[in-house]
Amino acid sequence: MEAIVNSDTETLIKSAAKQAFLKNGLAGTRLQEIADTAGICRTALHYYFRNKEKLFGVVFTEAFAEIHQRVNGFAHSDAPVVEMIKMFASDFYDVAIKDPGIDLFIINEFNQNPDRMRKILCGDSMQGVRRGFLHYIERAVEKGEISGDPFQIMITIVSLCAHPFAAKSMIQNMFDINDGKYEKLMRQRKAYVLDVIDKIFKK
C-alpha cells in the first residue's frame, strides 16, 4: 500500500497545488490547504516539496513545458503559416476552456512576483518557444506569406487568445452570465477567432 501511495502522492500534490495557486495566487495559498485537498498530512507534503515557492516553481514550470511541446509541434509542421496560427489558437482555446483561470493568474503573478515568474517563463524551454514561434513568423513575412511586423503579429495572436480568459470576470459581469454560459461563449469565440485569423492573415 505504501508503494502505491508514494507513486501517486507527488501527482496529487501538484494537482492540488495548481488548483490552489490558480484560485488564490502564490501569496494567498497555504500549504495546509494543498495537503487537505491532496488528502495527505502536512509532513508528507514537506517530504516531497520543501516549501511553497519550490512547489509553485515545479507546478508551473511543468505547465509551461507542456505549452513548449505543443508550440514546438506547430512551429515545426509543414502547414502554411496561417494554418499553423489557427492550430495554435485552436489548441489554446481548448486548453484554456478547461483551465480558464490560468491567463489571469499569469498576469496577476507577473504583477506581484515579476522576478519569480520571469525565471519560470524565461527558462530555456520557454525561450525556445518564443524564438521558435517568432522565427517562424519572421520567415513567413520574409516569404511574403503574411505581412506586418512579426512582433505585432505575435501580440495580436496572443491577445486574441488570452484576453477573453484573462478578462473572464469582467465578461461575465458585463453580460451577466454564469460559468456555464461563459464556457459556451468561449467555445463560440474559438470558432470566431479562427475565422478572424483567416480574414486578417490570409492573402
Side-chain angles (χ1 to χ4, degrees):
M1 178 66 178
E2 182 66 25
I4 295 174
V5 171
N6 283 342
S7 67
D8 293 340
T9 300
E10 186 172 344
T11 299
L12 286 171
I13 292 171
K14 288 189 287 189
S15 176
K18 186 176 180 181
Q19 292 177 41
F21 289 137
L22 287 177
K23 179 182 176 183
N24 304 315
L26 175 61
T29 296
R30 300 289 175 265
L31 286 176
Q32 188 61 56
E33 175 188 0
I34 296 172
D36 292 343
T37 302
I40 62 172
C41 66
R42 180 83 173 264
T43 303
L45 193 154
H46 278 291
Y47 174 79
Y48 288 92
F49 299 97
R50 293 191 302 275
N51 54 54
K52 184 172 65 172
E53 287 72 21
K54 173 71 173 177
L55 179 53
F56 179 92
V58 169
V59 167
F60 285 96
T61 296
E62 290 185 2
F64 293 123
E66 292 176 12
I67 298 173
H68 174 229
Q69 290 177 346
R70 292 198 302 273
V71 172
N72 261 358
F74 302 144
H76 289 90
S77 74
D78 294 325
V81 64
V82 175
E83 294 307 310
M84 187 275 290
I85 293 170
K86 289 170 67 177
M87 284 191 288
F88 170 81
S90 178
D91 183 75
F92 189 104
Y93 269 82
D94 288 342
V95 172
I97 285 168
K98 294 177 184 176
D99 227 346
I102 194 163
D103 292 286
L104 180 59
F105 167 85
I106 291 170
I107 291 171
N108 287 340
E109 290 300 322
F110 255 119
N111 288 332
Q112 296 172 19
N113 304 288
D115 291 339
R116 183 178 292 111
M117 291 301 291
R118 191 177 298 111
K119 286 178 182 177
I120 293 173
L121 285 177
C122 294
D124 291 340
S125 63
M126 290 309 295
Q127 290 276 19
V129 170
R130 287 195 304 279
R131 292 194 197 103
F133 204 4
L134 181 61
H135 182 58
Y136 192 93
I137 298 295
E138 286 172 338
R139 281 187 301 162
V141 170
E142 289 171 2
K143 292 177 182 177
E145 296 175 16
I146 54 176
S147 60
D149 181 333
F151 286 100
Q152 295 295 343
I153 292 171
M154 283 193 66
I155 292 170
T156 298
I157 296 165
V158 172
S159 298
L160 282 169
C161 293
H163 181 266
F165 298 98
K168 178 176 183 283
S169 179
M170 183 184 75
I171 291 170
Q172 286 187 282
N173 281 283
M174 184 184 298
F175 298 111
D176 192 23
I177 56 176
N178 59 25
D179 285 345
K181 289 182 179 179
Y182 170 83
E183 181 177 329
K184 181 179 179 180
L185 183 64
M186 289 303 101
R187 293 189 185 282
Q188 295 169 339
R189 175 76 181 172
K190 172 185 167 182
Y192 178 82
V193 164
L194 297 182
D195 184 56
V196 167
I197 289 170
D198 267 338
K199 291 176 179 175
I200 292 176
F201 297 117
K202 266 194 175 175
K203 288 193 169 185

